[in-house]
Amino acid sequence: PNKARYVKPLILWAALSVPLALVVLVARPWLIWFGACYLIALSLNIALARNKRERSLTNDVIFIVECVALTPIMWGIGSGTDAIVPAASNLSLAPASLWVTTTLAFLLLVDSTLHVKSLIRERNNPRYRTASRAWSIFSLAAAVVLATAVGWPALVIAVPFGYLIVRSYALTGKDLRPGILGVVELGAILLLFAAVIVSGG
């Protein structure tokens, strides 16, 4: 309804990002295919926003996928191929640790989204609280399995996900400001980043 609210940020970010995107596209032409995928994802974001569902869990998950997909894309950019063909053949050569890192980031960001929703927008909905805790436990188990599969120390990778479980129980019923919640969630991201680095990822 309030389109003017989005026009200025859109113009600003387009002015900053489009020239940089063109430079990268010239160096890595295969990014045009990933760009097309991102346009499809963005069209879903816009469709949900037009239906006043921009804060829905569906929209959040689409955005999380858009974010974590940048991990293999950045690896592909760094690998040096300048072909127009999609980088599927290139990404097939990517180490397993790249896909594990991407998956761990996805698990953590979905966890963070569920947790924050359960404390703010959906604080009166017990299903979100249950889903947040269940996802935290599932994420810990999945992280340990993935770490073991690539030879990473499972205990190290378990630390950030254990943190997520503890905070999902410890903060229930707390009336915390969004800024404080943001710091708590940032702590989980930094722990995961450190755990992956220590593990050799």
Side-chain angles (χ1 to χ4, degrees), residues 32-177:
I32 191 71
W33 304 103
F34 286 97
C37 292
Y38 269 84
L39 282 176
I40 293 171
L42 180 61
S43 70
L44 294 175
N45 295 140
I46 293 172
L48 287 165
R50 286 176 65 88
N51 287 294
K52 298 182 180 179
R53 296 183 58 204
E54 67 274 12
R55 295 185 182 274
S56 69
L57 185 59
T58 300
N59 201 39
D60 290 336
V61 172
I62 292 171
F63 182 65
I64 289 168
V65 171
E66 291 168 4
C67 291
V68 301
L70 291 173
T71 305
I73 289 173
M74 291 301 292
W75 185 91
I77 291 172
S79 68
T81 181
D82 58 358
I84 189 64
V85 181
S89 59
N90 225 31
L91 290 176
S92 67
L93 302 175
S97 59
L98 174 71
W99 303 111
V100 169
T101 301
T102 304
T103 305
L104 293 178
F106 175 81
L107 291 170
L108 185 144
L109 291 175
V110 171
D111 188 293
S112 181
T113 300
L114 286 170
H115 176 67
V116 171
K117 279 182 174 294
S118 75
L119 293 178
I120 301 178
R121 188 164 292 273
E122 301 290 343
R123 61 181 173 271
N124 295 321
N125 186 345
R127 289 184 299 176
Y128 263 85
R129 185 164 54 252
T130 301
S132 171
R133 291 173 175 174
W135 186 268
S136 294
I137 295 168
F138 164 76
S139 295
L140 174 61
V144 168
V145 170
L146 290 169
T148 304
V150 293
W152 287 357
L155 270 177
V156 172
I157 294 299
V159 169
F161 292 94
Y163 171 93
L164 292 175
I165 292 174
V166 171
R167 71 88 164 91
S168 71
Y169 282 91
L171 298 185
T172 297
K174 305 289 185 183
D175 188 18
L176 300 176
R177 290 178 298 174

Side-chain angles (χ1 to χ4, degrees), residues 23-32 76-84:
V23 170
V24 177
L25 188 60
V26 168
R28 302 288 184 266
W30 52 264
L31 281 171
I32 191 71
I77 291 172
S79 68
T81 181
D82 58 358
I84 189 64

